[in-house]
Amino acid sequence: MITQFDITLAEAADARSIAELSRDAIEHGLSWRWTTRRVARSIRDVATNVVVARQRGHFLGFGIMKYEEEEAHLMLLAVQQAHRRKGVASALLMWLESTVRAAGIARVQLETRVVNGAALSFYRRHGFDPAGLHEGYYDGVEDAMRMVKDLSRVPS
């Protein structure tokens, strides 16, 4: 398990690394929607947190969370292949959830591919419950599982 890495808000210079990891780890086989330009917009958006994890300056992964009045939406979460299963994604998720709690929001939602067993297991381990199937959610060709976590029921 990695014990020393930093999680910080992303900067404009991080947009390309984030977009490329999204393309390769999340959007593979689909249209590339989270381009560098879109990520850069999210970094500038006051209703969105984009965070990155680094170890000795090396980019490990990222998370993007959009905040609404009643709930937050985890848009993307990914870690470089070589750094998976070392606590990076869990740390990113915990950082983002702490900001949700600080904002007084009690609910986080996300979507993940139904064929992504690793992601489904990861989110279940972190207290997310399945909340419905969205057929054709991804480019009309792949289904998504909507998952929800009620932070008001989970100790901080």
Side-chain angles (χ1 to χ4, degrees):
M1 173 151 323
I2 293 176
T3 56
Q4 294 188 337
F5 54 89
D6 299 311
I7 298 175
T8 61
L9 289 171
E11 299 176 2
D14 296 314
R16 183 175 181 171
S17 295
I18 293 168
E20 289 174 353
L21 182 54
S22 176
R23 179 195 63 209
D24 298 343
I26 299 171
E27 299 178 88
H28 57 89
L30 303 170
S31 301
W32 186 22
R33 298 186 188 278
W34 283 90
T35 62
T36 301
R37 180 179 294 186
R38 184 174 181 190
V39 171
R41 271 196 317 267
S42 292
I43 290 170
R44 292 188 306 269
D45 181 17
V46 297
T48 304
N49 274 335
V50 181
V51 293
V52 294
R54 289 187 178 85
Q55 184 178 42
R56 292 186 294 276
H58 177 69
F59 174 77
L60 304 178
F62 73 94
I64 300 177
M65 179 87 76
K66 183 155 188 75
Y67 303 85
E68 299 168 11
E69 232 175 277
E70 302 283 325
E71 69 181 19
H73 189 166
L74 181 61
M75 307 296 286
L76 299 171
L77 181 70
V79 174
Q80 298 275 359
Q81 179 72 38
H83 300 285
R84 292 183 189 156
R85 300 193 179 279
K86 297 178 181 178
V88 178
S90 294
L92 286 162
L93 183 60
M94 287 173 26
W95 192 102
L96 290 164
E97 285 183 4
S98 72
T99 65
V100 171
R101 289 177 196 277
I105 298 170
R107 188 172 145 112
V108 178
Q109 70 155 338
L110 62 89
E111 294 82 26
T112 189
R113 293 179 184 202
V114 296
V115 297
N116 189 343
L120 292 167
S121 294
F122 171 82
Y123 291 120
R124 283 188 189 116
R125 278 194 315 276
H126 286 280
F128 285 82
D129 296 313
L133 180 69
H134 289 280
E135 292 183 14
Y137 182 83
Y138 297 104
D139 285 350
V141 297
E142 196 163 344
D143 299 340
M145 176 59 67
R146 182 169 183 261
M147 300 186 83
V148 175
K149 182 174 184 177
D150 183 349
L151 296 174
S152 67
R153 295 183 306 146
V154 180
S156 38

